[in-house]
Amino acid sequence: RHAAGCEWPERVSDEGVESAGFARAVGDDILVPRQPHEVAVLLVVDLQTRDALVFAVRARPSNPALKAALRYSDGHLRRIEGEARVKDKLAPAAQQAFTASVAAFREAAELRQNWPDPFLGLMRTFIYGLEDLDRGADALKQAQRRGYAAGARDTVQLADGYRSRAM
């Protein structure tokens, strides 16, 4: 049983994946929370997305875009776990989750080399999770090299990093 409450078969044909929309569902528009209250809702969405991606990767194990999307999803889930561990004052567990998040984002970037999104996940993880502004700023530059146009949200994240560094 999966997060969406559905039973999925262990194997399905490529046609089944296409008709279910799983291959097309993996695109450049994966959700990222913009407000704190959105995190709980998006966590459920991320868990459901991850379940769908696991299913799709099983059906098409040679598809690097699907594998990249799965690792990207894992990166966000581990980052969210790390943030929760910080709030619970469990520093070693938080560090472990953030390290796993970085590894997942890097693997996603390797699998889909022109995709900027994993670098945005890295930026957020470095700035807010690991409090490493320099690596966060570098991750933003990597995203920009892959066609990402930085906006106000990115400026705010960098400013938060500078503020934390100054404290």
Side-chain angles (χ1 to χ4, degrees), residues 16-144:
V17 171
E18 289 294 335
S19 67
F22 289 112
R24 288 185 303 275
V26 179
D28 294 332
D29 297 322
I30 294 178
L31 297 173
V32 177
R34 287 172 174 73
Q35 301 294 325
H37 66 276
E38 293 176 333
V39 172
V41 172
L42 288 178
L43 180 57
V44 171
V45 171
D46 282 346
L47 289 169
Q48 291 173 343
T49 299
R50 187 183 188 287
D51 277 352
L53 288 168
V54 167
F55 172 73
V57 168
R58 282 185 192 154
R60 299 180 99 179
S62 62
N63 185 322
L66 289 173
K67 288 180 184 177
L70 176 60
R71 294 306 290 149
Y72 177 77
S73 177
D74 288 340
H76 278 296
L77 290 171
R78 295 308 302 265
R79 177 188 54 75
I80 292 166
E81 176 188 347
E83 291 170 356
R85 299 295 172 249
V86 166
K87 287 179 183 172
D88 293 340
K89 300 185 186 330
L90 300 170
Q95 182 68 33
Q96 186 177 17
F98 289 133
T99 300
S101 175
V102 168
F105 285 131
R106 285 189 172 148
E107 187 178 345
E110 232 175 84
L111 288 164
R112 192 170 164 195
Q113 295 184 2
N114 292 322
W115 193 27
D117 294 35
F119 294 98
L120 300 174
L122 284 168
M123 181 176 108
R124 184 177 175 116
T125 303
F126 286 137
I127 291 173
Y128 294 112
L130 298 170
E131 297 181 354
D132 188 335
L133 174 61
D134 295 329
R135 287 169 62 191
D138 183 60
L140 177 59
K141 287 178 190 170
Q142 292 292 328
Q144 289 173 310

Side-chain angles (χ1 to χ4, degrees), residues 127-128 131 133 157-167:
I127 291 173
Y128 294 112
E131 297 181 354
L133 174 61
Q157 288 183 23
L158 290 172
D160 285 346
Y162 282 110
R163 186 186 69 225
S164 292
R165 180 187 276 178
M167 296 175 123

